[in-house]
Amino acid sequence: MTTQDLIDWFGNNHIFAIAYFAVIIIVALLSNVLVNRTNISNVKYVMSVLVYGVTIPGVLAILLILYSILFLGASILNVNIVAHFLPIVAMIITLFILSRKVKMSQLPGFGKLSSLIILISIVFMLIFVLQRTYFGVIILGGFTQVLVVFAVLFIILKIAWSKLSK
């Protein structure tokens, strides 16, 4: 199974993706209604799971769209709405709903999630710059070679970030 097969599966079986994100948004609304200053410690773990459950697919969808447009030169009009845009819209809606009641910095693990997103964004921009400047033959290869370069740059930046933040 390739990545494109997985995207096609979500595009063809869109009811599962719609149901997943609908449940997350409904639970976010319910937790937003139920939370107050006295029970925030009980609900913040549910909210943290919701943030992770919606942010990871949303960030992956953003990266897929950017990869398709910037690296492959695909048209934005040819991408599947459910597989590419639904995770992004659900992420924005859920984060907006949850941030109205609770500061995201109060949620467990949100600092690590936001630093992971920043790190992934930096590595993606580096790979794009390297690919556009024709820095090496490795970048001109296929998707697996881009993933290898991405992983190596990610590990290097992760080590550098951890040493910088200490």
Side-chain angles (χ1 to χ4, degrees):
M1 176 179 257
T2 64
T3 308
Q4 187 62 46
D5 291 338
L6 184 65
I7 293 169
D8 291 340
W9 185 84
F10 277 113
N12 294 332
N13 301 312
H14 58 274
I15 192 73
F16 296 117
I18 292 171
Y20 173 77
F21 291 115
V23 166
I24 286 181
I25 292 173
I26 290 169
V27 173
L29 287 169
L30 286 175
S31 65
N32 203 14
V33 169
L34 297 175
V35 71
N36 56 31
R37 300 223 183 259
T38 59
N39 66 354
I40 187 75
S41 61
N42 298 331
V43 182
K44 70 180 178 182
Y45 292 105
V46 173
M47 290 180 164
S48 182
V49 168
L50 293 175
V51 167
Y52 272 93
V54 78
T55 305
I56 292 172
V59 170
L60 289 176
I62 290 170
L63 288 176
L64 274 172
I65 289 172
L66 288 175
Y67 177 79
S68 297
I69 293 170
L70 298 177
F71 287 92
L72 299 179
S75 173
I76 192 80
L77 301 173
N78 293 332
V79 297
N80 189 321
I81 292 175
V82 173
H84 289 87
F85 292 112
L86 178 65
I88 298 169
V89 171
M91 177 180 71
I92 292 169
I93 291 171
T94 304
L95 292 178
F96 177 74
I97 290 170
L98 293 178
S99 68
R100 291 181 58 201
K101 199 69 149 182
V102 176
K103 290 182 181 177
M104 289 296 162
S105 60
Q106 291 178 335
L107 297 179
F110 187 75
K112 291 183 180 188
L113 181 64
S114 60
S115 65
L116 177 69
I117 292 170
I118 291 169
L119 203 56
I120 288 173
S121 301
I122 290 170
V123 170
F124 190 83
M125 286 187 290
L126 280 173
I127 289 176
F128 179 70
V129 168
L130 289 175
Q131 194 263 345
R132 288 295 171 200
T133 58
Y134 302 105
F135 183 67
V137 178
I138 296 173
I139 307 300
L140 299 176
F143 183 70
T144 54
Q145 291 174 339
V146 170
L147 284 178
V148 169
V149 170
F150 179 81
V152 169
L153 285 173
F154 183 80
I155 291 169
I156 291 170
L157 283 174
K158 178 80 173 145
I159 292 169
W161 186 276
S162 66
K163 290 187 183 215
L164 184 70
S165 64
K166 284 186 179 181

